[in-house]
Amino acid sequence: MSRIRVAVAGASGRMGREVVKMVLNDPDLELAAAVSRTSDTTMDAGRLVGLEPCGVLMSNDLELALVEGKPDVLVDFTAPHSAATHTALAIRYKVRPVMGTTGFTPEDIENLDKQCKEQGIGGIIAPNFSIGAILMMKFAAQAAKYMPHLEIIEYHGDQKLDAPSGTAIKTAELISESRQELRQGNPNEEETIEGSRGGLYNGFRIHSVRLPGVFAQQEVIFGAFGQTLKIRHDSYDRAGYMPGVNVAVKKVMEFTGLVYGFEHFID
């Protein structure tokens, strides 16, 4: 069986470098292109990530990389403002998008799913590729059936662009599928400082913490009479996401249409 050719967008970023390493170290995958807006086009992608030269030079033009590299799959860890545009561009060239970038609206997802089906290719949008984080989401959705009073607290570094995180939003969506909307707390509650109670989603609160020195953590806290339950996931290294990305790159070759959420690939 021929190897899956992979293009990486955001290749010079911290997540992108891990993806390039993962691709170069997997005998079933082949690096077709490595793209970054600010990249030095004389730099070999292997050297960029501290490995032996691989013969693929960095590119600063995604469309050109898709045309010349002829990848089967695009893995994208760039920025929320470019997510939908990059996905549509990949689909146009029949390249299967695997998007770790957040910022998609429900309308974006619906439109991109239609485009994938028209082109006869698959695509994946995943707010989180960490298997542990997906299990955290699934456990939280299960717990919400029995303990519907809850709040989500997510922690990220101070340079993260979006709040709440895509992981927190996806967690909230999964919880809401198994929990009827319930307005929690005192109905006469007032915020003396605006925003101090966090964002309101389907009757429960989501809090976003942004601090230097923090990588990525999330906990879902459930409260009931005489007890609390906390389900928490902590990420310490970007390499922890790579097993999930690897699975997604291979799975996306097997179906047609756009899948939202990596949890669909975990039993």
Side-chain angles (χ1 to χ4, degrees):
M1 186 178 68
S2 60
R3 294 191 294 174
I4 300 170
R5 291 178 56 78
V6 181
V8 181
S12 64
R14 287 171 291 186
M15 282 294 289
R17 290 177 188 234
E18 293 297 332
V19 177
V20 171
K21 288 181 192 176
M22 180 272 292
V23 171
L24 292 175
N25 286 320
D26 188 326
D28 295 326
L29 306 179
E30 180 180 356
L31 187 67
V35 184
S36 176
R37 285 188 303 109
T38 59
S39 63
D40 174 1
T41 56
T42 65
M43 170 67 75
D44 184 278
R47 285 200 179 279
L48 177 74
V49 299
L51 300 177
E52 292 296 317
C54 64
V56 176
L57 297 180
M58 295 294 295
S59 171
N60 54 23
D61 186 323
L62 177 59
E63 185 168 11
L64 184 62
L66 295 177
V67 172
E68 294 185 346
K70 295 181 171 55
D72 301 301
V73 176
L74 170 69
V75 179
D76 187 302
F77 283 96
T78 53
H81 64 80
S82 59
T85 302
H86 286 187
T87 308
L89 184 62
I91 295 169
R92 186 193 313 165
Y93 288 101
K94 294 190 176 183
V95 178
R96 295 160 176 82
V98 172
M99 306 300 294
T101 306
T102 56
F104 294 90
T105 66
E107 293 75 21
D108 288 334
I109 294 170
E110 183 178 352
N111 291 333
L112 293 166
D113 176 47
K114 181 180 178 182
Q115 292 172 37
C116 278
K117 290 174 179 174
E118 288 172 349
Q119 293 282 41
I121 62 173
I124 299 171
I125 296 172
N128 199 313
F129 283 101
S130 165
I131 293 172
I134 299 302
L135 292 173
M136 175 266 297
M137 296 181 202
K138 285 179 171 284
F139 297 157
Q142 180 72 9
K145 296 178 184 178
Y146 306 98
M147 301 178 74
H149 293 263
L150 66 111
E151 302 206 1
I152 298 173
I153 307 175
E154 56 96 352
Y155 311 76
H156 283 85
D158 60 340
Q159 298 303 303
K160 185 170 177 57
L161 297 177
D162 54 330
S165 68
T167 299
I169 293 171
K170 186 62 179 176
T171 305
E173 291 171 348
L174 291 176
I175 287 171
S176 297
E177 291 174 6
S178 60
R179 169 193 177 276
Q180 292 185 344
E181 182 169 355
L182 171 67
R183 184 64 64 128
Q184 300 176 180
N186 192 317
N188 298 317
E189 177 184 74
E190 295 183 8
E191 289 182 325
T192 55
I193 299 177
E194 184 180 357
S196 58
R197 286 290 291 119
L200 184 65
Y201 185 99
N202 203 36
F204 58 89
R205 300 285 180 171
I206 303 176
H207 308 266
S208 296
V209 177
R210 297 290 179 266
L211 288 171
V214 177
F215 184 54
Q217 293 87 35
Q218 178 173 294
E219 60 184 330
V220 187
I221 305 173
F222 298 86
F225 292 111
Q227 61 181 319
T228 61
L229 170 66
K230 296 181 181 180
I231 300 174
R232 177 176 174 122
H233 177 259
D234 296 83
S235 291
Y236 302 106
D237 192 291
R238 290 170 180 82
Y241 297 102
M242 292 307 107
V245 176
N246 187 282
V247 169
V249 167
K250 294 170 182 176
K251 286 286 187 182
V252 78
M253 302 295 295
E254 301 175 1
F255 59 86
T256 300
L258 187 70
V259 173
Y260 172 54
F262 188 64
E263 71 277 4
H264 296 287
F265 304 105
I266 296 181
D267 295 332

